[in-house]
RNA sequence: GGGCCGUUAGCUCAGUCGGUAGAGCAGCGCACUUUUAAUGCGCGGGUCGUCGGUUCAAGUCCGACACGGCCUACCA
């Protein structure tokens, strides 16, 4: 269903068109006749000046520089899919390349879906509209009407009969062949990265597809998506440093959340049995290859389930996403290829440590254990006990070596204050950490629902500072939280793994960077 | 926070032993009605990240700073 598009083509006969008009307007605007007469201090604006002159010239010729809605026959990829020799179509997009042949021009139009070649012929278009076309610059958005045909070299092309200006670009697009390489500019001006580097746009298309599939996967299994506070009076649910901000109306400081966990559990108390939240967390920590201060986290809670239920859920979810979005369960090639074919390896924390350090590790005297750890090149703190030394060994040498997906289970209780202990061993908790490519992707727990024990664990963690205790959360538990499985999934890291990205900045559109000095 | 590397035209990059700056793309001009990294001829474009130092002379050597990258540290 298409509304007829109204093209307004006004013709001003008092001007000769094209370059002459451009020069005349440039003179009128700047008082200078030739570019060469401009001082070198204006050099950084040379492109802008040139384009402003072209804009003014186009405007005088009846082409308003910033148009409104333009009815298209379809996106460029839709036009390509429905190609039919001789059909009249309307299309819109950004002028990507121009090959000027004199009395005819080939140009590439690009939109969010594809590129499409335009053939601009003086004979077809008429001399005035043709000359006005010459005032366009790379990066301008135009709307066109024309006829589909195939060139001598076999390329689907639109021979345009009319065109209109939709948006004049005052600054040039990135270099057409090499694309935009400057890493800083790629992140700070991501739009230029997206214009110049099609593979970047494709990666973010896939990120959207991945998130859409995850939401659908969970919705299909009866999970409800919720939003809980990002501004919190106490930043709980994880042990990270929060960002502090000030709430003027309340006259008090509030924290950006570091995790939604404590609110999602309140919802379990309230009777929502299957909930998830997929949104941003904020942690006031350093920046590196795998850390951005704001990152996207998926947290899932399921009443009457436990860590085993989470195991099934995450394995199913990731393999589904890999297959449907990335088309394969094998990521990468050769030695470093990742094979996501289920079932994934499941191994206890203790077994992994023994595998690395020997069967007798947990019976070693502390000094012997420290000696062995230091022999691996680890630097230890003198105050550490065997559990802490063990965990250092795990984090620094074992976890990074787990390339293929691995569920590490039954972690020491002191590492995980919000999880329930194993029924056969109170020193361990009923959890797993899913590790892929040496990175912790998803921790899951059988959640602690005993308010008395929860209060004690919090107190153990924060010391005597009762002000850091989330009393309201404890109160919620006292109203009775059903036994539950819970899980967190780092969406950015999952995206890195599935797309093969080396840095978290490559999967976040606008990653945090240092502020530019003024 | 520490170490190493980088910053040259709008973009992508060269720049030798310290001797006053180069290419491709983009831009401007001319030619060209089936090209596609169009082509050919011509032209313009630089505070060599910033500040200071050494030197007759600094893009080049030295120091500080800014920003970026990698490593490391911190980090549920």
């Amino acid at each position: 269903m298409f509304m007829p598009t109204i093209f307004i083509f006004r013709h001003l006969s008092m001007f000769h068109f094209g370059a002459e008009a451009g020069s005349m307007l440039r003179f009128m605007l700047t008082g200078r006749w030739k570019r060469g007469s401009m001082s070198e201090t204006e050099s950084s604006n040379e492109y802008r000046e040139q384009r402003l002159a072209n804009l003014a010239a186009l405007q005088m010729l009846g082409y308003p520089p910033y148009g409104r809605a333009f009815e298209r026959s379809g996106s460029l990829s839709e036009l390509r899919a429905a190609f039919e020799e001789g059909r009249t179509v309307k299309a819109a997009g950004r002028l990507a390349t121009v090959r000027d042949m004199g009395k005819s021009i080939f140009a590439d139009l690009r939109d969010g879906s594809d590129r499409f070649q335009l053939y601009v012929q003086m004979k077809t278009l008429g001399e005035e509209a043709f000359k006005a076309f010459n005032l366009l610059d790379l990066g301008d958005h135009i709307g066109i009407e024309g006829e589909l045909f195939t060139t001598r070299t076999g390329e689907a092309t639109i021979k345009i009969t009319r065109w209109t200006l939709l948006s004049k670009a005052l600054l040039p697009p990135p270099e057409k062949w090499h694309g935009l390489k400057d890493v800083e500019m790629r992140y700070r001006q991501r739009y230029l990265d997206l214009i110049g580097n099609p593979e970047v746009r494709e990666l973010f298309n896939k990120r959207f597809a991945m998130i859409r599939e995850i939401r659908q996967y969970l919705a299909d299994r009866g999970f409800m998506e919720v939003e809980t506070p990002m501004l919190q009076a106490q930043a709980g649910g994880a042990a990270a440093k929060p960002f502090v901000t000030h709430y003027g109306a309340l006259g008090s400081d509030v924290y950006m959340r570091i995790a939604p966990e404590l609110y999602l559990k309140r919802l379990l108390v309230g009777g929502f049995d299957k909930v998830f939240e997929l949104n941003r967390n904020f942690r006031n920590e350093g920046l590196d290859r795998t850390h951005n201060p704001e990152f996207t986290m998926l947290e899932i809670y399921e009443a009457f389930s436990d860590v085993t239920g989470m195991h099934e859920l995450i394995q199913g979810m990731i393999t589904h996403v890999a297959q449907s979005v990335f088309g394969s369960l094998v990521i990468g090639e050769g030695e470093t290829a990742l094979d996501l074919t289920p079932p994934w390896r499941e191994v206890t924390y203790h077994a992994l440590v023994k595998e690395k350090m020997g069967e007798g590790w947990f019976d070693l005297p502390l000094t012997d254990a420290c000696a062995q750890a230091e022999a691996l090149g680890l630097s230890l703190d003198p105050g550490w006990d065997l559990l802490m030394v063990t965990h250092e060994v795990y984090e620094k040498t074992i976890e990074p070596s787990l390339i293929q997906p691995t569920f590490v289970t039954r972690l020491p209780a002191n590492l995980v204050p919000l999880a329930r202990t194993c029924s056969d061993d109170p020193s361990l908790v009923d959890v797993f950490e899913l590790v892929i490519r040496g990175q912790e992707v998803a921790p899951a727990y059988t959640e602690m629902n005993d308010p008395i024990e929860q209060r004690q664990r919090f107190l153990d963690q924060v010391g005597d500072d009762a002000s850091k205790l989330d009393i309201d959360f404890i109160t919620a538990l006292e109203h009775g939280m059903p036994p539950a499985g819970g899980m967190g999934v780092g969406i950015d890291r999952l995206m890195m793994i599935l797309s093969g990205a080396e840095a978290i900045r490559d999967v976040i559109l606008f990653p945090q960077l240092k502020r530019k000095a003024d």
Side-chain angles (χ1 to χ4, degrees):
Chain A
M1 186 76 71
F2 297 117
M3 299 278 293
T5 305
I6 300 165
F7 283 81
I8 300 172
F9 291 95
R10 274 185 288 137
H11 302 292
L12 302 181
S13 54
M14 65 258 218
F15 277 108
H16 292 289
F17 302 122
E20 231 174 308
S23 297
M24 183 176 298
L25 279 151
R26 195 175 310 138
F27 175 72
M28 290 159 58
L29 287 167
T30 66
R32 299 179 180 91
W33 189 249
K34 296 188 72 129
R35 305 223 44 74
S37 65
M38 290 195 176
S39 71
E40 55 276 12
T41 56
E42 294 175 76
S43 61
S44 61
N45 286 324
E46 184 186 341
Y47 287 80
R48 203 161 172 277
E49 297 275 348
Q50 178 60 42
R51 283 162 180 261
L52 280 170
N54 288 341
L55 179 153
L58 283 162
Q59 198 155 27
M60 304 277 306
L61 295 175
Y63 293 89
Y66 298 100
R68 294 172 189 270
F70 182 85
E71 192 76 30
R72 301 178 290 168
S73 310
S75 72
L76 297 179
S77 71
E78 286 166 346
L79 289 187
R80 191 177 299 288
F83 181 84
E84 187 186 319
E85 200 78 27
R87 187 160 75 98
T88 296
V89 295
K90 289 174 187 164
R94 190 191 279 280
L95 212 49
T97 61
V98 172
R99 295 175 289 283
D100 187 347
M101 310 288 296
K103 292 193 173 64
S104 72
I105 300 170
F106 285 94
D108 285 338
L109 197 65
R110 193 184 287 175
D111 71 4
S113 67
D114 202 351
R115 59 167 278 282
F116 212 102
Q117 180 164 269
L118 305 180
Y119 183 51
V120 188
Q121 199 180 29
M122 186 187 272
K123 193 179 74 186
T124 317
L125 201 53
E127 190 170 339
E128 290 168 358
F130 184 81
K131 286 189 172 172
F133 193 92
N134 273 304
L135 292 169
L136 292 172
D137 293 296
L138 295 187
D140 291 352
H141 284 87
I142 59 172
I144 60 100
E145 181 175 339
E147 196 174 283
L148 290 170
F149 78 108
T150 307
T151 62
R152 187 188 293 169
T153 52
E155 175 157 357
T157 302
I158 304 171
K159 182 188 287 185
I160 75 172
T161 50
R162 290 170 151 185
W163 68 273
T164 187
L165 183 55
L166 299 177
S167 179
K168 190 88 190 74
L170 300 182
L171 293 169
E175 208 259 2
K176 69 180 177 188
W177 185 242
H178 297 93
L180 184 65
K181 290 281 172 54
D182 185 294
V183 180
E184 185 179 354
M185 205 180 293
R186 284 189 49 217
Y187 296 142
R188 286 194 199 277
Q189 293 178 272
R190 179 70 88 179
Y191 47 90
L192 295 179
D193 192 26
L194 293 167
I195 292 168
N197 302 319
E199 70 281 5
V200 173
R201 196 163 61 185
E202 180 53 25
L203 183 130
F204 285 103
N205 283 339
K206 284 199 166 142
R207 181 176 168 126
F208 165 62
M210 178 183 89
I211 288 172
R212 185 186 55 203
E213 287 299 325
I214 287 172
R215 286 200 158 104
Q216 191 61 49
Y217 187 88
L218 290 168
D220 287 347
R221 282 155 186 76
F223 287 87
M224 181 175 81
E225 182 168 9
V226 296
E227 295 112 87
T228 66
M230 293 204 185
L231 292 175
Q232 302 182 349
Q234 284 152 314
K241 193 188 294 181
F243 287 96
V244 189
T245 186
H246 188 75
Y247 190 167
L250 296 187
S252 63
D253 285 346
V254 291
Y255 299 96
M256 307 291 289
R257 76 171 175 203
I258 55 175
E261 174 158 355
L262 302 186
Y263 283 92
L264 294 174
K265 285 180 174 172
R266 285 167 167 89
L267 296 178
L268 293 182
V269 172
F272 286 132
D273 291 342
K274 293 177 160 192
V275 293
F276 74 96
E277 181 160 11
L278 200 169
N279 218 314
R280 227 73 62 80
N281 285 348
F282 306 86
R283 297 187 181 179
N284 205 339
E285 295 166 356
L287 294 160
D288 66 27
R289 203 173 57 81
T290 58
H291 291 82
N292 196 64
E294 54 180 303
F295 61 99
T296 302
M297 184 80 156
L298 167 65
E299 286 205 12
I300 305 169
Y301 292 86
E302 181 175 7
F304 313 115
S305 182
D306 64 5
V307 72
T308 309
M310 294 297 109
H311 179 128
E312 295 307 315
L313 190 66
I314 190 65
Q315 183 175 281
M317 189 174 85
I318 291 179
T319 53
H320 168 73
V321 166
Q323 193 73 65
S324 61
V325 177
F326 295 87
S328 173
L329 292 179
V330 178
I331 312 287
E333 290 172 357
E335 295 274 313
T336 57
L338 195 61
D339 187 354
L340 299 176
T341 307
W344 298 340
R345 183 187 182 198
E346 180 173 351
V347 59
T348 68
Y349 181 84
H350 276 67
L352 277 173
V353 172
K354 287 178 180 173
E355 192 178 275
K356 175 84 183 175
M357 305 305 290
E359 274 299 316
W361 170 263
F362 289 99
D363 301 320
L364 285 178
L366 183 58
T367 50
D368 293 4
C370 287
Q372 280 199 32
E374 280 167 348
L376 292 172
L378 302 176
S379 55
L380 306 176
D381 192 294
W384 286 355
D385 61 16
L386 183 61
L387 280 176
M388 294 163 104
V389 173
T390 301
H391 199 59
E392 182 72 6
V393 170
Y394 171 77
E395 282 203 321
K396 290 289 155 59
T397 71
I398 299 175
E399 193 176 79
S401 72
L402 299 174
I403 304 304
Q404 302 305 327
T406 304
F407 290 105
V408 181
T409 64
R410 293 168 68 90
L411 270 66
N414 62 324
L415 296 174
V416 192
L418 290 161
R420 183 157 183 157
T421 55
C422 296
S423 49
D424 58 347
D425 185 344
S427 74
L428 303 176
V429 281
D430 202 13
V431 305
F432 69 71
E433 281 185 357
L434 174 61
V435 180
I436 306 177
R437 237 171 63 170
Q439 287 182 49
E440 190 187 318
V441 175
Y445 313 157
T446 297
E447 300 295 342
M448 159 79 59
N449 65 342
D450 177 341
I452 299 163
E453 189 179 348
Q454 182 68 78
R455 180 193 293 270
Q456 191 53 51
R457 292 238 210 138
F458 274 162
L459 285 172
D460 291 347
Q461 199 183 25
V462 303
D464 289 332
D465 190 354
S467 67
K468 289 184 177 170
L469 204 60
D470 193 335
I471 297 294
D472 185 66
F473 173 65
I474 302 286
T475 302
L477 288 192
E478 289 184 349
H479 283 282
M481 186 181 95
M487 180 162 59
V489 184
I491 293 297
D492 310 288
R493 289 188 185 174
L494 181 59
M495 184 63 197
M496 284 174 68
I497 285 164
L498 294 178
S499 67
E502 290 298 323
I504 199 166
R505 286 176 174 181
D506 291 327
V507 300
I508 293 175
L509 280 169
F510 298 100
Q512 187 68 37
L513 297 175
K514 268 195 214 173
R515 193 167 300 181
K516 275 278 201 196
D518 292 325

